[in-house]
Amino acid sequence: MTYRLFEGKDHASSYWKFRICPSDNLIQQVLDFLEKHKGHPFELAVDVGCGSGQGTVLLAKHFASMVATDVSPAQVEMALQHSKEPNITYKQCVAEELPLADSSVDLVTAMSAFHWFDRPRFLQEAHRVLKPRGCMALLNYTMEMELSYPDCCSQTLNQICQEFYAALVPYRSAHLGSNSIELYREAYKSLPYPDKEWHECVRVKRLMPLSSFMGFVESFSSYQTLVREDLQKATALSQDISHRLMSVMKVSSAETEVEVSVRYYYLLACKPEEA
């Protein structure tokens, strides 16, 4: 079954405000793989588990048409509010039952979403809708982002961040196991396609206010679970971490910009001509 944890309007809004989307370079790696194994024209791409649509918009400019799906009505509504591209169609549906014809899609993507799906069923569904030589790209990032700030000890900053992440581990969904990267490695190994690639330790760096970094972590499912169980505890944890980070940085405003380094990993795979 698909896990439905991101459906509240407030959570969808925080997704739009704070979630980091793949870099242009990462998107280009996906497009280069598609170009190499299938070639043009790039007619139809499908972004499954699109959330509030940041990654969808990045891909859409390269395709004649784009379908973006999410199980959450609130996420689809948020994506529609912020995306006016005429070639994108948003649909609410589960990842394992896509409203698309057999062998009709050039590229299937899932950006920071595959780990929530019924993974074997989704891989079968992606296989069904992909054209021969069509490609699949499953991307995600680790929770352990790293901060840096001028004239500040990064080791001390990131020790505080590690304490933040560790405090959320007890609220992590059992569906994800101890580390999501293993779910993606398992999917890579299970795919019977001869043309496939595995990449990890791909760093994406973004400048953002410290408050946005905090909002990013607070949008994680583990933090949201803590909010539902004990709002006071969640708020106190977040405030303590923010104050300690500002103290190390020697600043008084959470709007001070920091550099956030996110480690991506992803798999790319091409459906064989005859499969």
Side-chain angles (χ1 to χ4, degrees), residues 41-252:
F42 292 176
E43 294 175 323
L44 175 61
V46 181
D47 185 23
V48 186
C50 67
S52 46
Q54 293 98 318
T56 305
V57 172
L58 293 177
L59 275 174
K61 65 185 75 172
H62 302 284
F63 290 85
S65 59
M66 182 101 198
V67 174
T69 75
D70 202 278
V71 72
S72 164
Q75 293 282 10
V76 171
E77 181 182 345
M78 187 63 57
L80 283 167
Q81 287 178 16
H82 292 94
S83 170
K84 306 303 180 185
E85 286 76 3
N87 65 329
I88 303 178
T89 301
Y90 290 94
K91 295 181 180 290
Q92 183 201 343
C93 67
V94 297
E96 303 82 7
E97 298 175 15
L98 300 174
L100 299 159
D102 294 358
S103 303
S104 62
V105 176
D106 296 290
L107 176 68
V108 172
T109 62
M111 294 180 258
S112 304
F114 170 70
H115 43 281
W116 292 115
F117 302 161
D118 181 327
R119 295 179 290 275
R121 284 186 61 208
F122 169 74
L123 293 176
Q124 291 175 356
E125 184 70 345
H127 179 86
R128 179 186 69 81
V129 303
L130 280 172
K131 297 175 181 177
R133 307 305 296 171
C135 296
M136 175 168 43
L138 307 179
L139 300 83
N140 197 28
Y141 45 77
T142 68
M143 184 177 178
E144 290 78 18
M145 289 83 66
E146 295 182 356
L147 299 187
S148 61
Y149 183 72
D151 302 320
C152 179
C153 177
S154 293
Q155 183 177 355
T156 305
L157 276 181
N158 289 305
Q159 178 58 43
I160 297 170
C161 291
Q162 288 297 326
E163 292 178 31
F164 195 10
Y165 309 145
L168 299 179
V169 168
Y171 304 95
R172 180 180 173 85
S173 170
H175 177 73
L176 302 178
S178 60
N179 194 332
S180 296
I181 193 172
E182 296 303 329
L183 307 179
Y184 287 75
R185 287 194 183 113
E186 180 182 304
Y188 172 77
K189 292 174 183 176
S190 72
L191 280 170
Y193 300 168
D195 295 318
K196 59 183 180 179
E197 297 179 4
W198 172 257
H199 300 267
E200 59 181 279
C201 297
V202 179
R203 287 284 179 182
V204 172
K205 296 183 178 181
R206 292 278 192 275
L207 282 175
M208 64 179 69
L210 178 62
S211 61
S212 292
F213 165 73
M214 296 300 299
F216 182 21
V217 179
E218 289 165 6
S219 75
F220 287 176
S221 62
S222 52
Y223 185 86
Q224 291 296 313
T225 298
L226 174 57
V227 167
R228 289 192 296 272
E229 293 188 8
D230 190 334
L231 175 59
Q232 185 175 357
K233 183 177 180 180
T235 302
L237 172 65
S238 184
Q239 290 177 346
D240 175 64
I241 294 294
S242 180
H243 291 154
R244 290 171 62 195
L245 289 171
M246 286 192 291
S247 176
V248 172
M249 294 162 59
K250 295 181 173 60
V251 300
S252 58

